[in-house]
Structures are given as structure tokens and as C-alpha cells.
Amino acid sequence: MPRYSEDDIIAHVFAPIAGTAALGLKDDAALLAPESAPLVVTTDMVVAGVHFFADDDPSLIAKKALRVNLSDLAAKGAKPIGFLLALALPHDWTNAWLDAFAAGLAEDARAYGAPLIGGDTGATPGPLTISITALGRARRFVPRTGAKPGDAIFVSGPIGDAALGLAVRRDPALAKRLSASARDHLIGRYLLPQPRLDIAPWLAASASAAMDISDGLAGDLAKLCRASGVSAAVDLASVPLSAAAREAMAIDPALFETAITGGDDYEILIAAGSEAPPAAPICRIGEIVEGSAPPVFLDGHKKPVFFKKLSFQHF
């Protein structure tokens, strides 16, 4: 069977998974019905060799591409309503790969109530590149800029699993020393982030500021503080770690810094009133304080800890 034409890709691969706003993918734009709640829009790009391995399962690549965008919506207190997909395919793509990609995308689109509503496809001489623009509606938009002294700092779940999963993928010796369950957990968290849409209503009601942790807890907290004109103090002993992460750190203690500064967590970093009653697994890790200095990270003896770098950097 010959490879799909561009028209085939639109009509037979993606039109069946598109939502009603996409107008059957027969037009150059989508049509969204107006609503009273603010519209929240975010875009994230994932690139083979940077955000995933080129030989990863295509259904998981599709899910990661969508979920990292849904994570941004969650951090703003928004509920997803749909997404646009821009897909740049390298020369060696196959129908089977694209069918599997679309199947994974469709599964998550249904699970998260975020239908495909449009996009574009093209060829590229470079690596596979996927850009998704996700749209959502929020009762109240939660900015990065609202953190204030006295706010508590929370994270929505365990930190560092994805960065350690990447380390396991890159280091066969580390992979061999881990238990199978720990290895599978860490790699799974790297391959398939979990957007915290379940806490979006709480964020909209209670958070002063929030952002998803895409480039590393330490660096992303610094970004939030700069945006809000404040500083922060973090108790590193309070940062939640999974059993798999602790197992990896027992093998190589240097992996603690990887966990705190590495990317791809897609948990939510939150500043909220200290009296806020977050449900598990939301965990308090510190406090927003006055000043413009970078955040301070303290060990169990209240001594400052310094990292070689605060987060993943593309450039």
C-alpha cells in the first residue's frame, strides 16, 4: 500500500478523531462557540531527540505531546476543550507509525475531553516535530505573577521521576542496578506524564500563582518568583519523592540533584495561602518570602544547598 497522501492524512487519519469544532477538518479554521468563561490557550512543542526518543512507541509520543499541553492548562485552573496539531514528519515515516500515533492521540483526546479541532501537516528534513496548541476554559485564570509573601509553596506530586527515567534510559548500568518495578516506574513517568487536571478547580479557587514543572522544580520556582517579584525558601526534605526515585538515589546520591533540577515532571508548582487544605498527593515544600533574591533551598539541617544548574535549558 502506498504511503498516505496529505489529503489522506487529513481525511482518513485525523478527521475521524476530530471534534465538532473542527468542521470535519474541511476548512482552514475551527469554529468555537462563545462562552462566558475565559479562554486559555497554550502551545508546547516536542522534538525527537530532545523530548523523546525517535524509536519510542508512537502512541506514547502522541500522548506525551498532548499531555504536556494539558498540564499547562491544568496549572492555569482550566478545563480543556480541544487542541490544534501541527505535525512535521521526517522522510522515513510509515502508514503504520502514523496510524499508531493517531490511535494514541484519539485515546487521550477522549479520556481528557479534548478533541482535535484542526492543525497542519508537513514534511521536514530534520527530526519528527510535534506542536500542539491546547485550548481550555477557566472559571479563574491562575497566573505566575500572583505569589505573595506568606504563601505556602506546594507541589502536586512526586518530583524528579521523569528526569530519573531519562537517566535510566541513557545509563544501562544504572538500569541494571534498579529493581524492575523501579525501572519501569521511572521510565513510565518519563514516557507518559500525568496532567493534573483533577486539581484545576482547586487551583482556580485557591492558588495565588501556579505553573507546571516542565524544566525542573528549582528552575521553575525561580521563574515563578521572578514573575511575582518575590523570593522563596524550600525545605528539600519535604519535597516528595517516589519509592523508585529513592531507590535510584540510594545507588547514586548525585541523582537527587537530577531530580530537583531535571525536566519533564509536569507536576504543578503552586503558591497558595498556608491555610489552604490541599488533598493528597499535594505536598507543602516551602514558603514564599519577600525579596528579589533567587529561591533558597535548605537541607534537613536548614543549611543552604547549591545546585550546578537550576533547570533544563534548551539553549
Side-chain angles (χ1 to χ4, degrees):
M1 178 181 177
R3 287 206 306 189
Y4 300 132
S5 67
E6 185 174 5
D7 288 342
D8 290 335
I9 292 173
I10 296 170
H12 301 304
V13 178
F14 292 123
I17 70 174
T20 56
L23 306 175
L25 297 184
K26 296 177 181 178
D27 214 315
D28 286 331
L31 181 63
L32 293 168
E35 294 185 25
S36 57
L39 183 66
V40 180
V41 182
T42 185
T43 296
D44 262 323
M45 178 189 300
V46 295
V47 180
V50 179
H51 302 93
F52 60 88
F53 291 80
D55 59 354
D56 283 342
D57 181 332
S59 68
L60 297 183
I61 294 173
K63 290 182 176 186
K64 183 170 189 176
L66 179 56
R67 291 184 185 199
V68 301
N69 283 274
L70 298 182
S71 177
D72 275 326
L73 292 182
K76 303 298 101 184
K79 178 181 179 181
I81 59 174
F83 69 95
L84 301 158
L85 168 69
L87 183 63
L89 293 166
H91 67 88
D92 59 349
W93 69 272
T94 65
N95 290 354
W97 187 97
L98 196 60
D99 287 339
F101 178 90
L105 198 61
E107 186 176 344
D108 265 14
R110 289 191 297 268
Y112 292 109
L116 176 67
I117 58 174
D120 195 17
T121 56
T124 177
L128 170 66
T129 301
I130 306 155
S131 179
I132 285 180
T133 299
L135 299 90
R137 294 200 183 274
R139 179 160 52 95
R140 169 182 162 262
F141 181 84
V142 183
R144 287 189 188 184
T145 54
K148 56 188 183 299
D151 279 347
I153 301 168
F154 301 93
V155 290
S156 62
I159 296 300
D161 283 351
L164 297 180
L166 177 59
V168 170
R169 291 284 297 270
R170 288 175 167 171
D171 185 351
L174 174 61
K176 288 180 180 179
R177 296 182 67 186
L178 283 169
S179 66
S181 60
R183 183 172 59 249
D184 291 347
H185 174 85
L186 296 175
I187 292 175
R189 288 271 284 161
Y190 169 72
L191 290 172
L192 203 58
Q194 303 296 319
R196 301 305 186 188
L197 290 163
D198 56 322
I199 68 168
W202 177 75
L203 291 172
S206 302
S208 303
M211 63 183 291
D212 76 338
I213 303 171
S214 56
D215 293 329
L217 171 63
D220 284 339
L221 177 59
K223 293 175 189 175
L224 186 147
C225 287
R226 285 196 299 270
S228 294
V230 294
S231 187
V234 172
D235 175 14
L236 290 172
S238 297
V239 174
L241 301 171
S242 69
R246 293 184 185 279
E247 182 179 328
M249 292 170 194
I251 295 170
D252 180 0
L255 290 174
F256 179 76
E257 180 165 344
T258 301
I260 300 300
T261 63
D264 276 346
D265 270 330
Y266 299 104
E267 295 291 348
I268 309 299
L269 174 64
I270 307 153
S274 58
E275 73 282 356
I282 299 173
C283 181
R284 180 173 176 165
I285 64 168
E287 184 178 5
I288 297 294
V289 299
E290 292 184 354
S292 58
V296 175
F297 298 89
L298 304 172
D299 66 14
H301 302 288
K302 305 301 181 184
K303 294 182 178 179
V305 175
F306 300 96
F307 301 114
K308 296 175 185 176
K309 62 177 184 177
L310 291 182
S311 65
F312 171 80
Q313 299 285 337
H314 283 283
F315 307 106

